[in-house]
């Protein structure tokens, strides 16, 4: 029996907290990893993630169950911006990257959605979605297989990851009732317990942490004067990356629409979704956190559990905000070994890639046709292979963004393109079975 919770359905209190905790656990590792890598406060990233998600839900009128966390695409740009103007300079760059989202949202609102659907038919979107998932495969395997301290292969760490993955799979397939809704949480708790017994869990951060700790916020006009740290060079380093994350955002919305059986690009509209993402990034810039983006990990949770309630997502956002101020709780969650997160990530990232394959199948894309075969093949190899174009010393078009651009160009210039009618009916079958 399949359990499903609709977008506007409110779960019972105990179920609500547990389901929200599952989303918190799914995003936590990646959300705090980004600030660790770029030298920002992980507690700030957690708080800004919660606030950003709540603002996103508000802007999208509570119609899109998406969680927003720290963006990996901005890791290298933030490091460069910090070297140019310190963390404050990086926040200036983050702020203007958020502004780009707003500009794109206005353009979509003014020009409508049909032009975008013509640029991004299933033969382009499907492989791009696969690139999103497969592009993260290396990260998942590295987390699962390597010792994070030495970055070398570790049999113990890989065993922990495989145990976590195995329990998650078994829980997803065989458990019934309420337990069938929380396979990710069950897998993480089981993997964490196993990791403790093999000596991979260190509780010293929990003992050393205070119960209540105010995150190390970096607030403009209070901690620094934006005019004094403003730099065109920082903007040049960070703002162009918004094009990459906007493309990622559109891909995530395609995945989420397919998973939930609703066309979120039309209702409540891609312009609202992109605006919500941009506002979340601006909020992060005003607090001293990394830019936010929609999270594939949480989309994977939605795909497995079939629980689409925005109240569950909102609950996870509130918990993230609270935990950002509770030192011992955030310290406890931070003790989860990367191998445990790697184990569940193998499944979650794989589900993203499989969703792209499902889009091709559901839209009857015939890969026996040379046109379709060429477009999908080029997108996959360029995206997963890590191809890039070095525009200037500080700017490159790489990975998924380059694959998306080339896929769009090929779709436009090769004869026999998809008709507008088939594009607009991309989600018709699912919508017929999942009325609002």
């Amino acid at each position: 029996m399949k359990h499903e919770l609709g977008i506007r359905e409110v779960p019972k209190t105990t179920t609500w907290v547990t389901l929200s905790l599952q989303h918190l656990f799914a995003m936590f590792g990646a959300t705090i990893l980004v600030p660790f890598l770029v030298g920002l406060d992980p507690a700030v990233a957690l708080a800004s993630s919660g606030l950003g998600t709540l603002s996103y839900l508000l802007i999208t009128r509570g119609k899109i169950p998406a969680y927003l966390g720290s963006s990996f695409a901005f890791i290298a740009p933030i490091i460069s911006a910090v070297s140019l103007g310190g963390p404050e300079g990086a926040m200036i760059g983050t702020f203007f990257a958020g502004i780009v989202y707003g500009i794109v949202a206005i353009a979509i609102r003014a020009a409508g959605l049909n032009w975008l659907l013509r640029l991004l038919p299933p033969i382009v979107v499907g492989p791009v979605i696969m690139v999103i998932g497969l592009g993260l495969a290396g990260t998942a395997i590295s987390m699962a297989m390597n010792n994070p301290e030495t970055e070398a292969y570790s049999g113990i760490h890989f065993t922990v990851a495989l145990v976590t993955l195995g329990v998650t799979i078994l829980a997803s397939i065989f458990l019934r009732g309420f337990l069938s809704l929380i396979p990710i949480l069950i897998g993480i708790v089981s993997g964490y317990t196993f990791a403790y017994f093999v000596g991979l869990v260190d509780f010293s951060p929990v003992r050393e942490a205070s119960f209540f700790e105010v995150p190390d916020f970096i607030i403009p006009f209070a901690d620094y004067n934006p005019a004094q740290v403003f730099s065109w060079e920082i903007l040049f380093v960070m703002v162009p990356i918004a094009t990459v994350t906007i493309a990622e955002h559109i891909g995530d919305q395609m995945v989420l629409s397919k998973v939930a059986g609703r066309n979120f690009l039309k209702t409540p509209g891609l312009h609202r979704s992109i605006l919500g993402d941009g506002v979340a990034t601006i909020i992060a810039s005003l607090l001293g956190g990394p830019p936010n983006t929609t999270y594939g990990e949480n989309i994977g949770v939605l795909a497995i559990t079939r629980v689409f309630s925005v109240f569950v997502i909102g609950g996870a956002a509130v918990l993230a905000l609270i935990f950002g101020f509770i030192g011992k709780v955030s310290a406890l969650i931070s003790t989860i070994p990367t191998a445990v997160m790697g184990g569940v990530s193998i499944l979650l990232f794989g589900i993203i890639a499989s969703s792209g394959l499902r889009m091709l199948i559901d839209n009857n894309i015939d890969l026996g046709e040379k046109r379709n075969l060429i477009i999908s093949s080029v997108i996959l190899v360029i995206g997963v292979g890590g191809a890039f174009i070095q525009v200037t010393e500080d700017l490159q078009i790489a990975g998924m963004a380059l694959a998306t651009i080339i896929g769009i160009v090929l779709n436009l210039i090769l004869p026999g393109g998809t008709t507008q009618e088939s594009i607009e009916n991309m989600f018709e079958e699912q919508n017929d079975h999942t009325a609002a």
Side-chain angles (χ1 to χ4, degrees):
M1 182 176 66
K2 180 181 289 187
H3 294 263
E4 183 167 325
L5 207 59
I7 291 176
R8 291 297 185 90
E9 290 188 61
V10 182
K12 295 180 180 179
T13 302
T14 53
T15 304
W16 190 348
V17 173
T18 306
L19 293 173
S20 294
L21 277 172
Q22 180 170 239
H23 277 282
L24 178 71
F25 274 75
M27 68 84 189
F28 189 89
T31 292
I32 67 169
L33 178 60
V34 173
F36 269 129
L37 294 176
V38 301
L40 300 175
D41 185 0
V44 174
L46 205 56
S48 63
S49 168
L51 286 174
T53 299
L54 290 174
S55 68
Y56 177 88
L57 294 177
L58 180 63
I59 291 171
T60 57
R61 298 178 177 178
K63 294 183 178 180
I64 304 180
Y67 193 93
L68 281 69
S70 304
S71 172
F72 278 80
F74 280 93
I75 291 177
I78 290 177
I79 293 175
S80 298
V82 169
S83 67
L84 293 170
E88 298 83 1
M91 293 307 102
I92 296 294
T94 298
F95 177 85
F96 280 96
I99 294 297
V100 172
Y101 276 83
I103 294 173
V104 172
I106 293 173
I108 293 175
R109 180 68 178 86
L113 187 60
N114 287 344
W115 64 274
L116 183 62
L117 295 178
R118 185 174 292 278
L119 287 177
L120 296 170
I123 187 55
V124 173
V125 175
V128 168
I129 291 172
M130 295 172 71
V131 167
I132 293 174
L134 296 176
L136 294 168
T139 300
I141 296 301
S142 177
M143 291 171 63
M145 199 168 59
N146 298 336
N147 184 328
E149 296 180 358
T150 63
E151 297 185 358
Y153 172 80
S154 170
I156 294 178
H157 286 77
F158 200 21
T159 301
V160 168
L162 293 177
V163 168
T164 304
L165 175 62
V167 172
T168 305
I169 293 173
L170 293 175
S172 177
I173 294 177
F174 294 108
L175 293 182
R176 295 293 181 266
F178 171 72
L179 294 179
S180 67
L181 302 179
I182 54 170
I184 308 301
L185 186 58
I186 291 173
I188 291 175
V189 171
S190 300
Y192 185 85
T193 303
F194 181 75
Y196 170 77
F197 284 110
V198 297
L200 294 187
V201 177
D202 178 16
F203 286 115
S204 59
V206 180
R207 291 191 295 267
E208 296 170 0
S210 301
F211 181 79
F212 178 82
E213 291 184 4
V214 177
D216 188 16
F217 293 120
I218 305 174
I219 301 175
F221 301 108
D223 297 313
Y224 68 96
N225 185 341
Q228 294 179 350
V229 297
F230 178 86
S231 166
W232 287 105
E233 190 173 3
I234 290 176
L235 264 61
F236 183 76
V237 168
M238 292 197 64
V239 170
I241 306 303
T243 60
V244 177
T245 51
I246 288 174
E248 180 184 15
H249 179 97
I250 295 173
D252 283 344
Q253 290 304 307
M254 291 286 193
V255 174
L256 192 54
S257 294
K258 180 60 69 174
V259 167
R262 297 166 183 257
N263 190 345
F264 294 127
L265 276 69
K266 287 190 174 181
T267 305
L270 183 61
H271 63 289
R272 286 187 174 273
S273 183
I274 288 180
L275 178 61
D277 203 335
V279 170
T281 293
I282 291 174
I283 289 174
S285 74
L286 299 177
L287 297 177
N292 285 315
T293 188
T294 48
Y295 254 32
E297 293 92 330
N298 296 87
I299 296 176
V301 172
L302 293 172
I304 291 177
T305 64
R306 308 296 299 173
V307 174
F308 303 115
S309 172
V310 292
F311 295 97
V312 170
I313 299 295
V318 172
L319 289 174
L321 178 59
I322 294 174
F323 287 177
F325 287 86
I326 301 177
K328 287 194 178 297
V329 172
S330 58
L332 176 63
I333 300 179
S334 69
T335 62
I336 300 175
T338 56
V340 173
M341 301 309 299
V344 296
S345 294
I346 290 174
L347 180 60
L348 295 179
F349 295 160
I351 287 174
I352 301 295
S354 299
S355 296
L357 180 60
R358 176 185 169 185
M359 177 169 282
L360 295 177
I361 295 172
D362 288 351
N363 287 277
N364 300 315
I365 301 300
D366 183 8
L367 293 181
E369 294 185 12
K370 290 183 179 180
R371 180 184 191 278
N372 294 337
L373 185 63
I374 290 172
I375 294 174
S376 59
S377 299
V378 171
I379 290 175
L380 287 171
V381 173
I382 288 179
V384 177
F388 64 89
I389 296 176
Q390 195 73 39
V391 180
T392 68
E393 183 179 351
D394 298 315
L395 174 63
Q396 63 177 212
I397 303 174
M400 192 188 71
L402 180 60
T404 302
I405 293 171
I406 292 180
I408 290 173
V409 172
L410 288 176
N411 176 67
L412 293 176
I413 64 176
L414 294 180
T418 308
T419 64
Q420 182 68 26
E421 180 181 2
S422 64
I423 295 171
E424 293 178 349
N425 292 335
M426 190 182 302
F427 305 98
E428 182 177 343
E429 179 180 354
Q430 288 76 9
N431 288 344
D432 289 342
H433 298 288
T434 54

